[in-house]
Amino acid sequence: MGRLTVDLIAKSSLHIKNRRDEPLEQYLKKLTHLNFSNKNIDEIDDLSACKNLSVLYLYDNSITQIHNLGFALNLTHLYLQNNSITHIANLSSLQNLSKLYLGGNCISVVEELEGLTKLRELHLENQRLPLGEKLLFDPRTLQSLKKSLCVLNIKKNNIDEIKELACLENLNQFMAEENQIHDIKELEYVLSQWQKLWYLNLSGNPVCQKAKYRDKVMVMSTSLEVLDGKEVNNTARQFLLNWKAFRETKKKIAKEKTDEQEIQWKLDHPQIIRHRAPRASPSILKFRKPVDVLLMKTPNLANSGGDGKSVLPPGLQSRCVGDDMEGIRSEPVEFLLLPSPNIMSKKPDLRKAADSQPVRNISQTSSQHH
């Protein structure tokens, strides 16, 4: 294990060759690129002498914390992939940073990037997370990157939702292979927000197994040029767009036709539309049926004419159990069942008596008898 120090830089064979007889302080001040990848470094020491450093390669080391980089105000590219970093920190002062590589570390939350207003690329692929955990995003960080971020790589991080990433309005490349993304509707929403996206890779996600996945995604994003490593055919996309428009127009016409038919049916059958009675109590609601229907469904009652219509006294016609009876609960109601029309026609006095017979509440009748 070792520390990255000014002395280590000075002793490097490459820098000895480039420096020649130039004073170390002056040489470090001019230094713009520094490559100490795969040098078994576990800590970054004070490198403030390298004031003009713009590119720093520290990948494939054993670094656990990000610090001592606050001096590098001109840093644009930082390569820290394949280390042992657990938290993103101490980067807010790097206001000119445009590319940040943090793949292959142990980061569980993407955070503390609020000051990086010029960050265009963020690479976070293949974090070494505990079993069952997934990479999370701090909403404040996402909001701070919504205007600047163009490239996002989150491959192999057990991610199952991407809706929160929809705010990244300028994203044009999104790599999310081998995650757990499964919701095609969520994907449709996110793609509708990414109007500049031209590269998308979701290979190895459950959503790719959905029926006609590729066709659907090609239609969802008209700016897409490469999907899952394969070029998008514009002719095929245009055909799919035309087919989608045709189907939507067909559905719209069918709906309008159905609505017109329903309106016409109501106009042609006004007698079917009955006035609904006042709402009855729950205990009686399930018994609310027209009386003539109840009688017609009972074969033993000879009270219907040859035309199939009920022969009811005026007091019972078009009445329902519970109609115009406030406060009724579950008391039984007594109905007058009439003889057949033949008997009624032969005995006019029976018809007259039936018409004058009121509808009574059985409970009242019972109480009178008792």
Side-chain angles (χ1 to χ4, degrees):
M1 297 292 181
R3 293 160 59 93
L4 177 59
T5 64
V6 170
D7 289 340
L8 184 63
I9 297 172
K11 294 176 182 178
S12 168
S13 58
L14 175 62
H15 293 286
I16 290 174
K17 180 180 178 181
N18 292 336
R19 176 188 166 195
R20 297 181 182 177
D21 297 329
E22 187 176 8
L24 179 61
E25 184 177 348
Q26 187 175 340
Y27 174 76
L28 293 175
K29 190 175 181 180
K30 292 194 317 181
L31 202 60
T32 58
H33 288 62
L34 191 59
N35 188 345
F36 275 82
S37 58
N38 197 21
K39 299 294 184 182
N40 205 26
I41 292 171
D42 61 356
E43 189 174 349
I44 305 170
D45 206 345
D46 181 13
L47 301 178
S48 56
C50 307
K51 296 184 183 300
N52 290 307
L53 195 64
S54 61
V55 180
L56 178 58
Y57 298 95
L58 291 173
Y59 58 87
D60 294 339
N61 282 295
S62 303
I63 299 170
T64 57
Q65 293 182 335
I66 305 173
H67 57 190
N68 289 330
L69 292 178
F71 72 92
L73 301 181
N74 295 314
L75 195 66
T76 59
H77 295 57
L78 179 57
Y79 296 83
L80 288 169
Q81 62 266 44
N82 300 328
N83 280 279
S84 299
I85 299 168
T86 56
H87 294 90
I88 302 175
N90 304 314
L91 293 175
S92 58
S93 62
L94 308 182
Q95 297 181 5
N96 287 307
L97 193 66
S98 62
K99 296 184 180 182
L100 178 58
Y101 294 81
L102 290 169
N105 282 284
C106 305
I107 299 166
S108 58
V109 181
V110 182
E111 57 186 345
E112 297 193 36
L113 297 177
E114 287 80 348
L116 308 184
T117 56
K118 295 183 180 180
L119 190 65
R120 296 184 69 254
E121 295 189 22
L122 180 57
H123 299 264
L124 297 157
E125 72 282 1
N126 198 25
Q127 298 299 315
R128 302 193 299 274
L129 300 171
L131 186 64
E133 289 192 14
K134 63 181 179 179
L135 184 65
L136 302 174
F137 292 84
D138 186 330
R140 295 168 296 184
T141 289
L142 291 176
Q143 285 300 313
S144 69
L145 298 176
K146 63 183 294 186
K147 297 289 186 182
S148 64
L149 200 65
C150 298
V151 179
L152 179 60
N153 185 350
I154 55 172
K155 177 181 178 180
K156 287 187 178 181
N157 282 311
N158 203 32
I159 293 172
D160 56 359
E161 295 180 356
I162 57 172
K163 188 175 182 179
E164 60 185 346
L165 303 179
C167 66
L168 303 174
E169 57 191 54
N170 287 314
L171 204 66
N172 57 51
Q173 296 180 60
F174 182 59
M175 290 79 83
E177 307 98 294
E178 299 182 55
N179 280 291
Q180 300 300 320
I181 300 169
H182 61 276
D183 192 337
I184 193 74
K185 290 292 184 182
E186 181 186 68
L187 179 60
E188 182 178 13
Y189 167 72
V190 172
L191 292 179
S192 71
Q193 305 301 306
W194 293 344
Q195 296 295 319
K196 299 179 181 179
L197 191 74
W198 66 268
Y199 183 94
L200 174 65
N201 198 333
L202 297 174
S203 302
N205 282 275
V207 71
C208 299
Q209 304 302 318
K210 301 285 185 180
K212 298 183 179 180
Y213 152 77
R214 187 175 178 85
D215 290 351
K216 290 178 180 178
V217 174
M218 287 169 58
V219 171
M220 289 174 191
S221 177
T222 55
S223 62
L224 206 59
E225 297 178 14
V226 180
L227 174 59
D228 297 343
K230 297 180 181 178
E231 186 176 352
V232 173
N233 186 295
N234 285 326
T235 303
R237 174 194 277 137
Q238 191 58 52
F239 170 79
L240 292 169
L241 288 170
N242 294 340
W243 177 246
K244 181 184 179 183
F246 170 75
R247 291 183 63 187
E248 289 177 350
T249 302
K250 189 175 180 181
K251 287 180 180 179
K252 183 178 179 181
I253 294 173
K255 185 179 185 304
E256 291 175 352
K257 185 176 181 181
T258 302
D259 292 342
E260 290 175 0
Q261 290 175 344
E262 183 177 352
I263 293 172
Q264 188 60 45
W265 186 88
K266 289 180 179 179
L267 293 173
D268 294 342
H269 302 82
Q271 69 277 13
I272 303 299
I273 306 172
R274 296 187 177 184
H275 173 68
R276 288 184 175 272
R279 191 169 184 177
S281 63
S283 59
I284 200 69
L285 190 60
K286 60 182 179 180
F287 298 109
R288 287 178 54 85
K289 291 186 179 180
V291 173
D292 52 348
V293 174
L294 291 172
L295 295 177
M296 289 176 67
K297 288 186 177 181
T298 309
N300 295 331
L301 299 178
N303 64 330
S304 61
D307 58 356
K309 296 182 179 179
S310 278
V311 181
L312 296 173
L316 288 181
Q317 290 179 2
S318 299
R319 294 284 296 275
C320 295
V321 179
D323 282 358
D324 302 321
M325 298 181 185
E326 296 185 3
I328 189 166
R329 290 291 186 268
S330 57
E331 295 86 359
V333 177
E334 180 183 74
F335 295 102
L336 179 65
L337 304 182
L338 305 180
S340 67
N342 294 334
I343 297 177
M344 295 287 284
S345 62
K346 292 178 182 179
K347 297 186 178 182
D349 55 334
L350 184 60
R351 159 65 73 176
K352 184 177 180 180
D355 289 343
S356 61
Q357 183 68 25
V359 178
R360 300 191 306 275
N361 190 318
I362 293 177
S363 61
Q364 294 177 354
T365 306
S366 301
S367 62
Q368 290 175 2
H369 286 306
H370 289 292

